[in-house]
Amino acid sequence: MAVCNIQAQTIISGTISDGKETLAGANVFILGTIEGCLSDSLGRFSFTTTQTGEVTLKVTFIGFDDYTLKADASKLHDLSIRMSERATTINEVVVTASTFSFGKSDNFKTMDALDVVMAGNSCGDIVAALQTLPGTQTVGEDGKLYVRGGESEECQTFVNGMHVLVPYSTNTENTAVRGRFSPFLFKGINFSLGGYSGEYGQALSSVLPMETTDMATSDKYGVSASLVDWNIGGTKAFKTSSLSFNAALTSMGLYDRLFSQRQDFTRPYRKLSGEAQYKKEFACGGVLKSYAGYDLTSVGLHVDDRQLSLKEHNVYANVTYKAPLGCGTTLFTGIANSSVFNDIDDAVTAGDHYHNFRNEVHLKAEIRKVCSDVLKFSTGIEDYIRNSQLRFAPYEYHLDYNILAAHVDAQWRVMPKVFLNMSARLEAMRNQWLLMPRATLSYIPNKRLQLSLVAGRYSQTPEDDYLAQSSKSLVQSTADHAILSLQYKWQTTLLRIEPYWKRYHHLPLMEKGVWQSHGDGTSQGVDIYLEDHSLFRNLTTTLAYSFNDSKRLYRDYTEERTPDYASRHNLRLTAKYAISKTIIGLAESYTSGRHFPQGTTPYYNSVDVNLTYLLSPKVIIYTSLNNIFGRTNIFRYDAAGSPVTASRDRFFYIGIFVSLKNNKAYDISNF
């Protein structure tokens, strides 16, 4: 039994518990004095006091509300004190339903920039790394994100809260593309598979919000080189600001000469890209972030009697400002511009020319306020101003429209362990007004368990080609989401199970040669994710399984059927083992066959391996081999019934990453 302060004449004693178990180490004392002690291993305490008359006894314990009792000192003996677990404040709540956050979270490091670069099947591409998660589907002929039965256009990307019109690089048909952004650019990536709040719009299936790193406090410079790309980047830090740059050249010319492939390239794939950022912190607490990126992509390919030549310019820039206004209120404002120029010679027949220009200006303002420990509130307005032009003889169009939106979002702690997020988003396009309610009810009894029920409506404008051909008569498509989420964490294991259901309305459908908003569809299934660190020391293993059953009547379909991009079963297994200065990674991907009018494809299977070696504190060597067994995977069938496969069955990558100034490798592009 713990005994403190033996000079007193009155003994204060008792036992402390939470109603179920006794609490050891609770701090017990007389308020305004130094008289007190800690409870022992059985929750018991006893100390003496010189105080007489009415005193205030106080008990504190981490994770519990403070306990106070006013009484005469002579009566404070043989007490039975029950502590109440402290309710989590609304700012401490992190609801994980249908969202994967990349970075450190409790004891789990789900994914960061290094994991993206070193994933066995990613070769440094964020999009490819995300495809190791449940809910995504392998569509090898374009490599884009397809989530829970939705097509790739239904997943939208946001950088610092601002929309990115085209987040992928371009390439020839039936060739996988890559994401435009370097994983080193971001400190936070929150991939939401559905059920997102009212802040995000124009996304029927999922959103990928990414937050760039904070202002740098030291200079960083570095280079990297491989068989296919070369990169130089760095940051100059000032007292209250930092300026960063990154330049990269990707060229498949050397690789195509070293390794054979099926396609007849007349000009190898090349991409020249550059990025720059400026960040500043103000004395008032405000933070300014600006980003500008440019890609120039070109490739030439001999197809039948055509000499296809493709060139694309992709420009994206945004500026955001966030500042505290006092009393728990924060102001956020932002502007973003996306411009994409796409030119293709011999696109369909010899001698033709395809030109497409797309532009979007995204304006956004939002007020966020923490009202109390139980309520957090935000409201905002935004405008998407879009312009699109197409010239492809004999067809051409010029399209202008904008989408106005407003949202209200409230996060409320209903009870100490029950949280409710309610939001509503209002969108207006031409004469169509859409009100979309959304809600998430979560039960979080402790740090290990989360149960959530998510429901809401989401919308998206049809693609510009459909909108123009319908003379702007198409209305926005909508999707209703319902998701049940269960997540449980053991000390070394994370398990997540999520059954979901989606219902689509007003999808574009060709009827008698005219585009109408009469299409619909359903998608339901279950996602399972298991991450484990307990099998062996320094070994991390993951299992991601998705079952999806989707049906649609849209586009040129004449009857409801499974979309040709959707596969019913998707399984990914990964393992990463660290030993000394070496990290070895292994990934197995399996996807069941996809259904086409010409037939069903065989299953997809690929085993990928990678190895990372820390040559010195400033140098990392990374190498990977995709599809090590050389299986020829059939992605789809064309209109003639011929199988479509990758240009090569295997892809080998080796790269050297060097930090020139900092003593930490992989800082080459860490803006």
Side-chain angles (χ1 to χ4, degrees):
M1 185 175 295
V3 180
C4 313
N5 197 342
I6 61 173
Q7 301 176 4
Q9 299 174 347
T10 304
I11 297 177
I12 310 294
S13 64
T15 304
I16 303 172
S17 73
D18 63 359
K20 298 179 182 178
E21 299 177 351
T22 57
L23 299 178
N27 189 20
V28 189
F29 59 96
I30 301 295
L31 195 63
T33 75
I34 60 172
E35 298 173 337
C37 68
L38 299 178
S39 61
D40 66 10
S41 60
L42 299 178
R44 299 173 301 183
F45 68 91
S46 178
F47 65 92
T48 56
T49 177
T50 59
Q51 304 296 312
T52 59
E54 187 178 75
V55 297
T56 300
L57 180 71
K58 187 169 184 177
V59 184
T60 63
F61 191 72
I62 296 175
F64 289 80
D65 289 330
D66 293 347
Y67 174 91
T68 57
L69 174 63
K70 285 186 178 182
D72 191 280
S74 62
K75 297 181 179 179
L76 296 177
H77 56 86
D78 297 328
L79 299 173
S80 179
I81 297 175
R82 178 175 176 176
M83 302 287 286
S84 298
E85 188 174 354
R86 180 181 299 141
T88 305
T89 66
I90 199 67
N91 260 351
E92 298 172 327
V93 178
V94 179
V95 176
T96 61
S98 218
T99 299
F100 284 85
S101 298
F102 301 156
K104 292 184 178 179
S105 175
D106 294 335
N107 296 324
F108 288 89
K109 184 179 172 185
T110 306
M111 188 178 292
D112 60 16
L114 288 183
D115 294 318
V116 172
V117 170
M118 298 177 188
N121 56 351
S122 74
C123 293
D125 181 28
I126 289 178
V127 173
L130 292 175
Q131 291 171 358
T132 64
L133 297 175
T136 62
Q137 297 179 292
T138 300
V139 183
E141 66 268 30
D142 68 16
K144 297 179 181 179
L145 280 173
Y146 291 75
V147 178
R148 289 179 172 173
E151 57 183 342
S152 62
E153 288 77 8
E154 296 176 19
C155 177
Q156 297 298 310
T157 300
F158 296 82
V159 173
N160 294 337
M162 307 307 296
H163 185 241
V164 180
L165 185 62
V166 180
Y168 303 102
S169 62
T170 189
N171 211 329
T172 56
E173 188 179 5
N174 299 321
T175 304
V177 300
R178 290 171 63 87
R180 289 191 58 214
F181 301 102
S182 164
F184 295 101
L185 181 67
F186 305 102
K187 69 173 182 180
I189 303 174
N190 295 289
F191 183 36
S192 178
L193 302 169
Y196 28 95
S197 70
E199 178 183 358
Y200 298 109
Q202 291 301 296
L204 281 178
S205 283
S206 60
V207 293
L208 179 60
M210 302 188 287
E211 181 75 19
T212 57
T213 55
D214 295 328
M215 185 192 79
T217 56
S218 62
D219 296 347
K220 306 172 186 178
Y221 302 101
V223 296
S224 67
S226 74
L227 291 175
V228 297
D229 54 12
W230 299 265
N231 181 293
I232 182 170
T235 292
K236 179 64 178 175
F238 305 97
K239 186 175 182 180
T240 60
S241 63
S242 63
L243 179 64
S244 307
F245 74 94
N246 189 65
L249 172 64
T250 301
S251 175
M252 294 298 297
L254 176 61
Y255 194 94
D256 289 344
R257 286 194 293 270
L258 293 175
F259 302 98
S260 62
Q261 41 85 36
R262 297 184 177 94
Q263 293 179 313
D264 183 11
F265 287 99
T266 58
R267 187 173 69 254
Y269 175 89
R270 293 190 183 98
K271 184 177 77 167
L272 177 65
S273 60
E275 297 169 300
Q277 289 194 88
Y278 177 73
K279 302 167 187 173
K280 182 173 178 61
E281 295 181 355
F282 297 90
C284 65
V287 176
L288 174 74
K289 287 186 176 183
S290 62
Y291 168 85
Y294 168 73
D295 293 349
L296 169 60
T297 307
S298 66
V299 64
L301 181 67
H302 181 232
V303 183
D304 299 328
D305 60 343
R306 295 180 290 130
Q307 301 293 328
L308 183 145
S309 177
L310 181 151
K311 182 181 290 186
E312 182 183 86
H313 302 266
N314 193 331
V315 183
Y316 176 75
N318 73 32
V319 179
T320 63
Y321 179 70
K322 183 165 61 175
L325 301 180
C327 301
T329 304
T330 304
L331 170 69
F332 173 89
T333 59
I335 179 172
N337 183 85
S338 299
S339 297
V340 183
F341 304 80
N342 199 329
D343 289 275
I344 306 175
D345 292 323
D346 288 9
V348 177
T349 60
D352 67 13
H353 178 74
Y354 173 94
H355 172 77
N356 180 226
F357 167 72
R358 298 176 64 194
N359 188 79
E360 177 189 80
V361 176
H362 182 206
L363 306 172
K364 185 175 181 180
E366 189 176 47
I367 293 289
R368 304 164 185 169
K369 181 174 177 59
V370 179
C371 303
S372 67
D373 285 346
V374 301
L375 181 64
K376 186 164 62 174
F377 175 83
S378 67
T379 182
I381 57 173
E382 56 188 325
D383 192 7
Y384 295 85
I385 306 169
R386 293 178 176 174
N387 172 268
S388 182
Q389 301 174 30
L390 176 69
R391 292 196 304 272
F392 187 41
Y395 181 70
E396 64 178 61
Y397 66 74
H398 188 147
L399 188 67
D400 290 290
Y401 64 96
N402 73 300
I403 306 164
L404 288 168
H407 80 272
V408 176
D409 188 295
Q411 297 181 50
W412 177 34
R413 190 187 73 201
V414 183
M415 321 180 162
K417 300 175 182 179
V418 179
F419 303 88
L420 178 64
N421 183 306
M422 297 188 66
S423 63
R425 183 176 178 88
L426 179 67
E427 289 188 351
M429 178 181 168
R430 300 191 307 276
N431 295 322
Q432 181 193 15
W433 291 80
L434 277 177
L435 178 61
M436 293 165 283
R438 304 169 186 180
T440 300
L441 180 64
S442 300
Y443 173 61
I444 309 176
N446 49 56
K447 291 183 177 181
R448 298 185 300 273
L449 177 65
Q450 275 202 31
L451 285 169
S452 297
L453 179 62
V454 185
R457 171 160 289 189
Y458 305 84
S459 71
Q460 190 168 345
T461 304
E463 295 177 43
D464 288 350
D465 287 350
Y466 302 146
L467 203 58
Q469 293 177 48
S470 71
S471 300
K472 298 184 180 180
S473 64
L474 294 179
V475 300
Q476 291 205 68
S477 303
T478 61
D480 298 323
H481 295 195
I483 304 164
L484 179 63
S485 177
L486 164 67
Q487 176 173 293
Y488 191 84
K489 291 181 182 180
W490 291 269
Q491 186 176 359
T492 58
T493 306
L494 167 68
L495 173 65
R496 179 182 293 189
I497 302 174
E498 289 192 351
Y500 62 88
W501 174 87
K502 292 195 290 187
R503 177 71 184 180
Y504 291 91
H505 304 276
H506 309 302
L507 297 176
L509 177 66
M510 178 67 74
E511 292 182 319
K512 298 180 180 180
V514 179
W515 286 105
Q516 304 282 358
S517 298
H518 297 162
D520 56 26
T522 59
S523 179
Q524 55 267 330
V526 62
D527 296 334
I528 300 173
Y529 180 75
L530 179 67
E531 180 178 341
D532 184 78
H533 301 255
S534 66
L535 296 179
F536 298 100
R537 182 179 174 85
N538 298 328
L539 176 67
T540 299
T541 57
T542 68
L543 178 151
Y545 170 73
S546 299
F547 170 79
N548 176 260
D549 178 23
S550 57
K551 303 288 185 185
R552 286 198 180 197
L553 176 63
Y554 83 136
R555 293 192 173 181
D556 59 351
Y557 289 13
T558 57
E559 60 182 14
E560 185 180 74
R561 63 180 177 89
T562 300
D564 53 27
Y565 58 78
S567 49
R568 178 158 289 206
H569 302 280
N570 286 265
L571 175 67
R572 285 101 175 184
L573 302 171
T574 69
K576 184 172 69 174
Y577 182 68
I579 176 172
S580 185
K581 298 180 179 181
T582 304
I583 300 175
I584 302 171
L586 185 68
E588 153 70 14
S589 300
Y590 166 85
T591 299
S592 58
R594 291 157 52 192
H595 300 290
F596 294 83
Q598 298 84 1
T600 301
T601 64
Y603 68 88
Y604 170 94
N605 189 66
S606 178
V607 179
D608 313 316
V609 64
N610 69 84
L611 185 145
T612 305
Y613 179 69
L614 183 64
L615 186 64
S616 78
K618 293 187 176 184
V619 181
I620 286 181
I621 298 176
Y622 170 80
T623 182
S624 67
L625 178 62
N626 288 8
N627 195 16
I628 61 177
F629 296 117
R631 175 183 170 84
T632 300
N633 288 301
I634 297 175
F635 296 140
R636 60 186 297 269
Y637 295 110
D638 62 19
S642 300
V644 173
T645 62
S647 61
R648 47 176 58 89
D649 291 328
R650 296 185 181 94
F651 188 84
F652 174 70
Y653 181 90
I654 182 169
I656 301 175
F657 301 81
V658 182
S659 175
L660 297 179
K661 190 166 184 179
N662 204 298
N663 62 356
K664 180 181 177 183
Y666 275 106
D667 267 348
I668 56 168
S669 303
N670 191 352
F671 293 166

